[in-house]
Amino acid sequence: MARPLSPSLEADEFDHSMMERALQLARQAANLGEVPVGSVIVHDRKIVSQAFNLRETLQDPTAHAERLAITLAGRALGSWRLEGCTLYVTLEPCPMCAGAIVQGRIARVVYGATDPKAGACASLYRLVSDPRLNHRASITAGVMEKECGEILSLFFQDRRVFSRLEETDTTNPEGCLSG
């Protein structure tokens, strides 16, 4: 049976601690050259799974932090039905991940930074709360939004600088350093 729509819930101290863990995972992703997004799934106030983006590492377009954490949570709990679980993620989930949230019956989504280009919880689409679907999740948005947005901004800023440096290095086409 479909749940009624729930209003956005306020974040508490536990939510902030779980988002801090998700940020730690995002930093691990950045260290691997992955887009820095981290995700944690909690059931009964205990972490059951955690993951960060691994698209480049695995060469898998579906290896988003949320999707990986959802798969791991199903295995940890012995069920694909993740009822009663809360998903924490540093960036608003995309349509693929929002679909996985609905399919996994996750009760609540807590995210940090909004994603105006691909967000499917509130920014671009509202998949996780769409009344036409068989399941809806409560949403708490903007938890540690500044920190979550900052890690992404710095990552992409660094990539743009590095890309420009590669383009302008015409004196040494092999990329070797002299001196």
Side-chain angles (χ1 to χ4, degrees), residues 1 8 12 19-20 22 28 38 51 74 79 86 88 92 99 101-102 123 128-129 133 136 144 151 171 177:
M1 175 164 50
S8 181
D12 62 17
M19 189 60 72
E20 181 56 48
Q28 289 179 31
S79 175
T86 298
Y88 295 88
E92 180 181 1
I101 289 163
V102 170
S123 297
V128 300
S129 60
L133 299 176
R136 286 168 289 290
M144 298 179 70
I151 192 172
T171 60
L177 298 176

Side-chain angles (χ1 to χ4, degrees), residues 110-124:
V110 180
Y111 66 87
T114 58
D115 187 352
K117 293 183 179 182
C121 290
S123 297
L124 191 59

Side-chain angles (χ1 to χ4, degrees), residues 56-79:
E56 298 298 329
T57 301
L58 299 177
Q59 290 300 298
D60 179 355
T62 70
H64 290 200
E66 307 95 296
R67 208 228 15 102
L68 295 170
I70 289 168
T71 297
L72 293 170
R75 289 181 188 157
L77 296 172
S79 175

Side-chain angles (χ1 to χ4, degrees), residues 5-178:
L5 284 175
S6 316
S8 181
L9 301 172
E10 291 296 317
D12 62 17
E13 189 177 318
F14 182 78
D15 293 333
H16 284 270
S17 69
M18 290 299 100
M19 189 60 72
E20 181 56 48
R21 178 62 188 138
L23 271 166
Q24 291 170 355
L25 293 163
R27 289 182 197 102
Q28 289 179 31
N31 290 337
L32 291 174
E34 297 280 354
V35 174
V37 176
S39 181
V40 176
I41 297 183
V42 171
H43 186 262
D44 291 335
R45 297 181 73 85
K46 292 183 180 94
I47 294 175
V48 294
S49 70
Q50 49 191 341
F52 49 80
N53 275 359
L54 286 172
R55 290 192 321 170
E56 298 298 329
T57 301
L58 299 177
Q59 290 300 298
D60 179 355
T62 70
H64 290 200
E66 307 95 296
R67 208 228 15 102
L68 295 170
I70 289 168
T71 297
L72 293 170
R75 289 181 188 157
L77 296 172
S79 175
W80 63 267
R81 290 178 183 88
L82 303 178
E83 295 162 337
C85 288
T86 298
L87 179 141
Y88 295 88
V89 63
T90 55
L91 180 65
E92 180 181 1
C94 72
M96 174 185 68
C97 294
I101 289 163
V102 170
Q103 291 301 313
R105 314 284 196 271
I106 291 174
R108 182 173 174 232
V109 176
V110 180
Y111 66 87
T114 58
D115 187 352
K117 293 183 179 182
C121 290
S123 297
L124 191 59
Y125 302 106
R126 293 182 178 355
L127 287 178
V128 300
S129 60
D130 191 320
R132 297 169 294 181
L133 299 176
N134 66 332
H135 174 79
R136 286 168 289 290
S138 299
I139 301 167
T140 302
V143 176
M144 298 179 70
E145 183 172 19
K146 180 178 180 245
E147 297 89 336
C148 292
E150 202 169 75
I151 192 172
L152 287 159
S153 294
L154 290 172
F155 176 81
F156 287 113
Q157 186 177 49
D158 287 349
R159 284 182 71 174
R160 284 189 294 274
V161 168
F162 183 72
S163 179
R164 275 189 239 120
L165 287 174
E166 282 184 328
E167 290 172 6
T168 59
D169 188 9
T170 57
T171 60
N172 192 359
E174 290 83 30
C176 296
L177 298 176
S178 60

